[in-house]
Amino acid sequence: MNALVNRALAFLLLVFVSHAAPLMAKGLSIEEAKQFLHDSGLSELIASLPDSMGQQLDMKRLSVNSSVSFEKTSAAVTHAAKKVDGEQIAMVYLSQDQRAEDLSEAIKFLASPLGQRISTEERAASTPEAQQKMQRYFQEQSFKSVKQDRAQLLEKLSLALNADKVVIQLMKGVYFSVLEAVAVINPNKAAALEARMNQEWQSMEPMLSQQFSEFMLMGANYSYRNLNDEDLSAYITFLKSKPGQAYWQVGVDIVDLYIQGFVSELVSGLSSAK
């Protein structure tokens, strides 16, 4: 329960800080934040969060342990997913983030000719149509057939992107949202549930990490197929820089903040339904 309270307070503090901006050190401007979200592809990730919460959250387990009917639990999850404004959370976060200087440098990179080429390729590879093309591409061209130097670059790029960390953070947050809600709604069941869920996650996480790492490597082979080795090397150099580290860490932070807001709304909905 303390963890949930701390998260809720952190979320409320973030909202408060946004209204106290004149008194605080500023982060990115509104225009810069919008540009960053667009060019980095985070806008698409944020837009997908409500569906991710609704589809991945174990509503049966939540219903059983919170003693709220499945129908009311499902309604509370749907309401919470719609209620939380991920874009607003991201804008507030970016307007106050102390790494504004690093993010500004990241924006410059994304706005450069190379950054724009990368952004174009990444967007094209993230469409539903591209997913089907990607499957065919994998069938026709094995990653093992890629030249050694190119394969090494792709492996370095896949590691530097840290995209699998963002995905794992999202899945972990969705998974433990059940526990955090139960800790408030029905605390008597929280201890036993926590033990089971921690054991399950410890069992799942290594496998998920390996699967996503492999998927990201194959995805990089397809997504950046039109970029030459020099482009890939420059992108890797950026991702390993301080601005590049801030670039991917923002995605993890925004996902975490969204889930905090979601859990707060979910608890409110379940409490009303009991």
Side-chain angles (χ1 to χ4, degrees):
M1 181 173 179
N2 288 337
L4 179 60
V5 171
N6 289 338
R7 282 190 163 201
L9 288 174
F11 182 76
L12 291 173
L13 178 61
L14 186 66
V15 175
F16 167 78
V17 165
S18 70
H19 293 291
L23 302 178
M24 307 291 288
K26 290 186 177 181
L28 299 179
S29 68
I30 293 176
E31 293 74 17
E32 287 175 325
K34 287 181 178 179
Q35 183 179 352
F36 178 81
L37 291 175
H38 177 271
D39 290 351
S40 66
L42 279 175
S43 293
E44 286 82 358
L45 172 64
I46 293 168
S48 72
L49 290 176
D51 285 342
S52 296
M53 298 303 296
Q55 293 171 5
Q56 297 180 27
L57 192 139
D58 189 343
M59 284 185 278
K60 183 178 180 180
R61 171 176 264 175
L62 178 58
S63 173
V64 169
N65 286 278
S66 65
S67 300
V68 177
S69 71
F70 184 85
E71 291 75 15
K72 290 182 177 179
T73 297
S74 179
V77 170
T78 299
H79 175 76
K82 291 180 178 178
K83 181 76 172 178
V84 183
D85 189 338
E87 184 175 354
Q88 177 63 22
I89 289 172
M91 292 296 290
V92 172
Y93 171 89
L94 291 170
S95 70
Q96 298 300 327
D97 194 283
Q98 298 301 306
R99 293 167 297 187
E101 184 176 346
D102 292 330
L103 293 178
S104 293
E105 290 301 313
I107 290 172
K108 291 178 183 177
F109 174 83
L110 293 171
S112 69
L114 173 58
Q116 288 298 296
R117 291 201 300 276
I118 290 170
S119 180
T120 298
E121 296 296 336
E122 290 177 343
R123 286 181 186 283
S126 65
T127 63
E129 297 78 12
Q131 301 306 309
Q132 298 177 357
K133 294 179 181 178
M134 191 182 299
Q135 292 298 324
R136 291 196 298 270
Y137 182 82
F138 292 154
Q139 292 172 359
E140 295 169 0
Q141 179 180 346
S142 170
F143 182 72
K144 293 180 180 179
S145 67
V146 179
K147 292 182 179 179
Q148 184 176 0
D149 290 347
R150 179 75 174 185
Q152 290 176 346
L153 273 177
L154 288 167
E155 288 177 0
K156 290 179 181 178
L157 176 58
S158 182
L159 288 172
L161 281 167
N162 286 289
D164 53 325
K165 288 186 174 62
V166 179
V167 175
I168 293 295
Q169 178 75 3
L170 173 58
M171 294 190 69
K172 184 177 182 179
V174 175
Y175 180 78
F176 281 103
S177 292
V178 171
L179 175 61
E180 295 191 21
V182 170
V184 177
I185 302 299
N186 197 359
N188 291 332
K189 290 193 175 182
L193 180 61
E194 181 176 13
R196 289 197 302 274
M197 293 188 71
N198 279 332
Q199 185 176 19
E200 290 172 3
W201 180 256
Q202 289 172 7
S203 176
M204 291 188 300
E205 186 176 19
M207 178 186 65
L208 289 172
S209 295
Q210 181 178 355
Q211 288 179 341
F212 280 116
S213 294
E214 292 174 354
F215 177 79
M216 295 304 171
L217 179 56
M218 290 189 295
N221 185 30
Y222 175 81
S223 300
Y224 306 107
R225 65 195 184 284
N226 296 323
L227 299 179
N228 60 38
D229 290 358
E230 185 178 352
D231 287 342
L232 293 185
S233 295
Y235 194 18
I236 293 168
T237 298
F238 161 72
L239 291 168
K240 289 184 175 181
S241 69
K242 194 176 177 184
Q245 292 290 303
Y247 164 77
W248 71 262
Q249 183 63 48
V250 162
V252 174
D253 294 345
I254 289 175
V255 165
D256 192 46
L257 286 171
Y258 177 88
I259 292 174
Q260 291 173 30
F262 172 86
V263 171
S264 179
E265 290 291 342
L266 178 60
V267 166
S268 177
L270 291 174
S271 298
S272 300
K274 287 200 73 173

